[in-house]
Amino acid sequence: MGSRGRPRGGREWEPEPEPEPTPAPVVEGGRAERRRTARKVRRRRRTRRAGELPLLVVVALCIALLLKTFLVQAFFIPSGSMEQTIRIGDRVLVDKLTPWFGSKVERGDVVVFKDPGGWLRGEAARPAQDPVGVKQIKQGLTFIGLLPSADEQDLIKRVIGVGGDTVKCCDSRGRVTVNGSPLDEPYVNPGNAPSDITFEVDVPAGRLFVMGDHRANSSDSRFHLDEAFEGTIDENGVVGEAVVIAWPFGHWKRLEQPATFRMVPDQARSEGRGRRRRRRGVPFA
């Protein structure tokens, strides 16, 4: 037997104790650590989203404002001058884009235009005022185009004649004629005559002769024959063409050019030609 088990001097030798095993190092990134990391990531995401929200709101408002300014705008109809085509309380969408590309207003188009001066006095009264606070909110939403305008100084009528046309009423059958071509007007409000006022107007270049579809309740060009330009309006005052009735849904429809206007021949007028005399007939009801 070797000397490992018994030390020198005859005394029995006790074996040395085995060394304690080294504890395994703590591995970082365990389940608890992963949970803490996930919570930090979620907090960072929430903070980032909260910071992005105001920017997204600003971008959305800018887009809405651009759409209203250059593309499409909603308008509230406060009067019955275009019944039954467009009724009181309807919301129409007006195309403001095509004029930017040189598109001209055509006969039969329904257009929204700025009040040439005093025309609104003959239209229906404006809606009742909203309470303070509600009014300001609506004004803000209207400004950016999220609500239709209810109090702008605009009118809506149908274009009967454009620059160079001769618009007359009435022929032997009581119809309005444009350049000698009689108009078939199924859009006129039932029970209305094409016009209770007789007239004959040469439309100057760059101007429009307009009438409401509710002929007995429309202060249109006929009502301003004694004013400058014989009741015609400036093309530059046109805001845009009404293309669709968007609200209420039950009255939704496109506003298209009636077929009768496609039969009207063009009749160019030379500059400086005298205007024809016209007679005033029965005043509006």
Side-chain angles (χ1 to χ4, degrees):
M1 191 173 197
S3 60
R4 178 179 176 86
R6 185 182 297 274
R8 295 176 183 178
R11 299 182 61 183
E12 185 178 354
W13 177 80
E14 295 181 358
E16 297 179 359
E18 294 291 333
E20 293 285 338
T22 305
V26 177
V27 178
E28 296 183 1
R31 182 179 299 176
E33 183 66 23
R34 287 196 297 270
R35 283 200 294 266
R36 286 193 294 271
T37 302
R39 284 196 294 270
K40 292 179 181 178
V41 171
R42 285 196 295 270
R43 282 196 296 269
R44 285 197 296 267
R45 287 176 179 173
R46 285 196 294 267
T47 303
R48 186 168 60 249
R49 289 183 189 134
E52 291 174 351
L53 183 59
L55 177 61
L56 292 175
V57 171
V58 171
V59 171
L61 293 179
C62 289
I63 292 174
L65 185 59
L66 288 174
L67 288 174
K68 174 201 168 184
T69 304
F70 300 108
L71 300 179
V72 177
Q73 183 176 356
F75 281 83
F76 172 85
I77 304 302
S79 76
S81 67
M82 282 296 293
E83 291 177 333
Q84 291 289 325
T85 306
I86 305 174
R87 303 168 187 169
I88 296 174
D90 282 354
R91 273 72 167 173
V92 298
L93 297 183
V94 174
D95 172 19
K96 303 172 72 174
L97 176 63
T98 49
W100 288 83
F101 294 94
S103 176
K104 294 292 186 180
V105 176
E106 298 181 354
R107 307 179 192 99
D109 289 347
V110 176
V111 296
V112 172
F113 57 95
K114 298 295 183 184
D115 183 5
W119 283 40
L120 282 170
R121 288 196 298 268
E123 298 292 327
R126 294 293 170 181
Q129 294 293 324
D130 292 309
V132 177
V134 175
K135 178 181 178 180
Q136 283 69 30
I137 293 173
K138 284 188 174 181
Q139 286 176 339
L141 295 176
T142 298
F143 175 75
I144 60 177
L146 297 181
L147 278 182
S149 172
D151 57 359
E152 291 188 10
Q153 302 299 296
D154 303 318
L155 299 101
I156 184 166
K157 306 291 180 190
R158 189 180 299 276
V159 176
I160 304 299
V162 298
D165 287 343
T166 296
V167 184
K168 181 180 178 179
C169 187
C170 297
D171 68 0
S172 59
R173 295 174 56 185
R175 298 171 297 182
V176 175
T177 65
V178 181
N179 300 338
S181 177
L183 298 180
D184 178 21
E185 301 184 283
Y187 47 79
V188 171
N189 193 57
N192 284 190
S195 179
D196 289 330
I197 294 177
T198 58
F199 60 88
E200 184 172 359
V201 175
D202 293 337
V203 183
R207 301 191 71 85
L208 307 169
F209 191 90
V210 296
M211 298 168 70
D213 289 355
H214 193 174
R215 299 290 164 81
N217 188 33
S218 176
S219 296
D220 48 40
S221 291
R222 299 168 298 159
F223 199 67
H224 302 273
L225 293 171
D226 289 333
E227 299 176 8
F229 304 105
E230 298 184 283
T232 59
I233 65 169
D234 191 340
E235 284 184 349
N236 294 327
V238 173
V239 176
E241 178 189 353
V243 293
V244 65
I245 300 172
W247 181 265
F249 291 133
H251 195 213
W252 187 98
K253 69 176 178 180
R254 286 185 56 83
L255 299 171
E256 299 179 345
Q257 182 191 50
T260 188
F261 289 97
R262 294 194 287 271
M263 306 299 294
V264 175
D266 289 330
Q267 184 174 328
R269 297 290 180 179
S270 59
E271 293 184 4
R273 181 172 179 176
R275 299 170 185 158
R276 299 187 182 182
R277 297 177 62 85
R278 74 278 185 214
R279 302 186 304 277
R280 294 298 301 273
V282 180
F284 282 98

